[in-house]
Amino acid sequence: MAAGWIKGVMVIMIAILTAVDCRAEVTGRLLFERGMPGMRACADCHGKDGAGGNDGRYPKIGGQFDAYLAKQLEDFRSGARHSLVMTPIVGRLSPGQIRSLVAYVAALEPVPAPTAEGDALGRELATHGKWSAGVAPCDKCHGSGGAGVPPHFPALAGQRIGYTMWMFEAFRSGARRNDPLGLMQHVAKHLSESEVAAVARHYQAQGQGR
Amino acid sequence: MRRAWSALLIAIGSAVPALGDEPEFQPPVEHPPGPFGEMVAKGERIFTDTPVAAADYVRGRLTCENCHLDRGRRRNSSPMWAAVPIYPQYSSRSRQVVSLGQRIQDCFRYSMNGKVPELGSEVVIALETYLSWLSRGAPIGAKLPGRGYPMLADADLDPSPARGHRLFAEKCALCHGSDGQGTRRDGRYAFPPLWGPLSYNWGAGMARVENAGRFIKTNMPFGLGDSLTDQEAWDVAAYIDSRPRPQDPRFTGSVAETKEKYHRDGDYYGQVVDGVLLGDSP
C-alpha cells in the first residue's frame, strides 16, 4: 500500500519534470522561430536552421557551443560586446529564456555552409600560423578544421566569409573587445586584409562546426 | 697598401652584422621527395602528435611541439635547427656526452614520461631525420641566434607559487584549465596538462623552475609571448612546478635520497608545498 503510494508520487513527479524540461525546449524553439511581442524571431536573421545570412551580417550560430553562445549573449547584455541589433534583443530576455535559447541553438544540427573554394593561403595560416608576425595557427585554439574547443574557443567551420572578415575588422579597430586576454585583437592587428580574407574563405569551406 | 687595408676593413665590416641584427637561420619548408621525405613527414607527425604517432613510448599527453613551438621551428622556443648542430654534447642530467638520438630518448623518458624507444628504432630515426632536415644548412657547432629559451633576469622577489597561482587563474587557466589538466577535444589535448599524471615527470627540463620560466616568458600565453614580466614568468613557473607530477624515473626508492642525488636545487622535488610532499606520487 505504502509502496504503491510512493510509486504514484514518483510517476507524477517524473511527469512534471518531463513537462518542465519540454517547456524549456519549446520556449527556446518558440523564441528562436517566432520571437515574442517586441522581439523579432532569431530565425528572421539567422535562418531557421541557424545558418546565418545576408552576406555574413548575421553569423552562422546553429550548433555553436552553448558556453560560447551564453557568453556572447551575456556580453551583449552587459555591454562588453556591442551590437545595435543584439543588445536591445537580449535586454528583453529573462535569464531563463536565454538559457532555453542557448540550449536550442547549440542543439541545432549544423548545416552545410554555402560552398566556398578552399584557400591555400588560408589553410597555411589556419594550420601553421604566421609566426614571423607572432600569429599562432588558428586551429591550435579553434580546433582541427575549426571544429572549436569548448568552452572558450568557438567553432569556425562553416562560418560565413563576410562575418569572419567583419569580426576581424571589429577586433582590429577595437569595436569588439570581449575576446579573452585580447587574443583575437592581437591576431587581427597582425594579419593583412588579404590574409584575413584567405582565412575566412578557408573556414567557410571547412563545412560543419561541431 | 692603404687600399688593401680599407678593403680588408670593409670585408670585416660586412662579415660582422650589427648587434641584434644577426641574420637568422631559416629552416627549409617543403619536404623533400622520396623515401627520405617520407621519413621527414613521419618525424614531423611524431613531433606534433606524439601521444598518437608514438603511442607505444608515451604515457603522458604532451607533444614535442608543446615545448618547441611551430613544429620545432620557432625561434626562442628551443628550435630544433639550433639544437641539432650542437650534438653530441655533454648532458649535465646524464653526466656524460650524449648523441642526438640519446637526447631524443631522454625526451621520451622524462618529458613524455614514457618508455624509451631504442636507438635505431623507427621512432628515433624518424625524429632524427626530421630534426636533421630542419637543420639543413645550419653550421655544425654554431651557437645560432634564436637558440634555446632566452635567459630571464634574476627574480627581484623569490619566485612565489602563491603569486603564480593568481596569475595562472588570470592568464593560463583559459586554455590549461583552472586545475592545470589541459583541455581535451574529441579525446585529444588541444591544450596540454601542466602537472598531474599526464604531464612531464620530475626528471624533465621543464620541471626546473628557471627552464619553465624562460619558456613561459617568450612563448606564453600561447600567441601572446613576451607579454609577461620576468618576475611574472618566474612566479607562474614556480606555481606550475610546485604541483604534483609523475615520479623521476631515476627514483632510488627514497624521496630524500633522490632529492639529494638529482634535485639539490632549481626545482621543488622533495619539498612540501600546500601540504603535499612533492616527488611522493608514482
Side-chain angles (χ1 to χ4, degrees):
Chain A
M1 180 64 193
W5 180 79
I6 290 171
K7 214 169 164 184
V9 170
M10 279 179 67
V11 167
I12 292 169
M13 280 186 59
I14 288 169
I16 292 172
L17 287 173
T18 314
V20 169
D21 194 44
C22 285
R23 222 178 54 196
E25 199 182 302
V26 170
T27 307
R29 186 192 187 104
L30 275 177
L31 284 169
F32 188 83
E33 292 187 350
R34 309 238 182 108
M36 60 182 185
M39 182 199 124
R40 282 188 74 175
C42 315
D44 285 355
C45 299
H46 291 282
K48 214 170 162 179
D49 46 14
N54 194 13
D55 203 22
R57 205 61 194 169
Y58 306 109
K60 172 183 165 171
I61 53 175
Q64 186 58 269
F65 301 120
D66 50 6
Y68 179 77
L69 291 169
K71 178 178 189 291
Q72 299 313 307
L73 291 181
E74 179 48 40
D75 285 356
F76 284 131
R77 181 211 292 284
S78 72
R81 182 174 174 185
H82 184 70
S83 160
L84 288 173
V85 177
M86 290 303 297
T87 302
I89 290 175
V90 175
R92 284 171 188 276
L93 295 169
S94 71
Q97 287 172 319
I98 288 184
R99 276 197 299 277
S100 307
L101 253 180
V102 163
Y104 180 74
V105 174
L108 284 172
E109 198 60 39
V111 287
T115 45
E117 293 282 314
D119 187 291
L121 174 62
R123 173 177 298 277
E124 173 64 17
L125 290 165
T127 54
H128 294 147
K130 187 185 171 191
W131 281 110
S132 59
V135 175
C138 320
D139 277 5
K140 285 284 181 200
C141 292
H142 290 281
S144 181
V149 177
H152 300 295
F153 298 95
L156 304 177
Q159 187 52 273
R160 288 168 179 266
I161 293 171
Y163 181 72
T164 304
M165 291 180 65
W166 178 29
M167 284 304 106
F168 263 97
E169 177 51 29
F171 282 127
R172 195 193 59 73
S173 69
R176 182 175 172 187
R177 279 186 294 212
N178 71 329
D179 52 328
L181 305 181
L183 283 163
M184 283 308 301
Q185 294 177 69
H186 171 85
V187 172
K189 285 178 184 130
H190 291 86
L191 291 182
S192 71
E193 214 171 300
S194 58
E195 287 167 335
V196 167
V199 165
R201 281 196 296 275
H202 169 74
Y203 280 114
Q204 180 168 309
Q206 291 308 298
Q208 314 347 296
R210 251 192 202 275
Chain B
M1 184 63 198
R2 239 174 59 195
R3 205 189 294 166
W5 271 113
S6 53
L8 183 64
L9 283 174
I10 287 166
I12 291 171
S14 55
V16 180
L19 207 64
D21 193 26
E22 298 165 278
E24 194 155 294
F25 177 77
Q26 295 295 330
V29 177
E30 296 292 335
H31 288 182
F36 183 82
E38 282 167 31
M39 199 53 94
V40 168
K42 197 166 274 177
E44 184 173 318
R45 209 154 52 238
I46 294 170
F47 198 89
T48 55
D49 198 11
T50 325
V52 173
D56 292 348
Y57 303 100
V58 175
R59 278 197 299 261
R61 288 294 178 274
L62 306 188
T63 69
C64 308
E65 194 186 27
N66 285 149
C67 298
H68 308 282
L69 269 49
D70 190 19
R71 299 162 283 158
R73 309 166 70 94
R74 176 78 171 138
R75 71 189 313 273
N76 295 338
S77 182
S78 201
M80 294 299 101
W81 45 259
V84 171
I86 53 173
Y87 276 88
Q89 67 166 265
Y90 179 76
S91 156
S92 53
R93 179 168 50 193
S94 308
R95 296 167 191 175
Q96 59 182 345
V97 173
V98 298
S99 69
L100 180 62
Q102 288 171 312
R103 182 63 188 81
I104 291 170
Q105 287 182 314
D106 276 357
C107 289
F108 280 95
R109 185 181 289 122
Y110 301 114
S111 300
M112 302 298 160
N113 189 37
K115 234 173 65 186
V116 175
E118 279 181 40
L119 293 176
S121 66
E122 189 180 64
V123 166
V124 173
I125 291 179
L127 283 168
E128 284 175 325
T129 308
Y130 174 60
L131 304 191
S132 305
W133 168 73
L134 271 184
S135 316
R136 280 195 168 178
I140 288 178
K143 292 193 163 175
L144 294 173
R147 70 184 174 276
Y149 306 122
M151 299 295 281
L152 289 180
D154 286 344
D156 290 333
L157 309 165
D158 274 348
S160 151
R163 277 195 308 269
H165 188 180
R166 285 193 291 277
L167 261 166
F168 186 89
E170 202 184 307
K171 300 204 164 166
C172 318
L174 178 77
C175 297
H176 296 287
S178 50
D179 59 1
Q181 297 310 290
T183 305
R184 261 181 304 182
R185 165 82 168 129
D186 296 335
R188 284 190 194 195
Y189 278 83
F191 304 109
L194 303 182
W195 61 85
L198 298 177
S199 191
Y200 52 89
N201 69 39
W202 280 109
M206 243 351 132
R208 300 183 61 78
V209 177
E210 186 179 358
N211 282 356
R214 287 162 64 178
F215 167 77
I216 289 166
K217 163 74 184 178
T218 326
N219 298 292
M220 291 289 129
F222 188 71
L224 295 176
D226 274 321
S227 62
L228 302 178
T229 65
D230 287 21
Q231 182 69 50
E232 287 174 326
W234 277 109
D235 290 342
V236 173
Y239 175 65
I240 292 168
D241 278 345
S242 59
R243 306 299 101 194
R245 56 181 64 262
Q247 183 58 271
D248 190 324
R250 299 165 297 181
F251 186 54
T252 64
S254 138
V255 172
E257 195 186 12
T258 308
K259 174 173 169 58
E260 179 57 27
K261 225 168 154 183
Y262 302 111
H263 300 277
R264 280 205 208 151
D265 51 28
D267 66 33
Y268 283 93
Y269 188 94
Q271 297 187 34
V272 176
V273 180
D274 296 335
V276 177
L277 172 61
L278 297 166
D280 202 24
S281 45

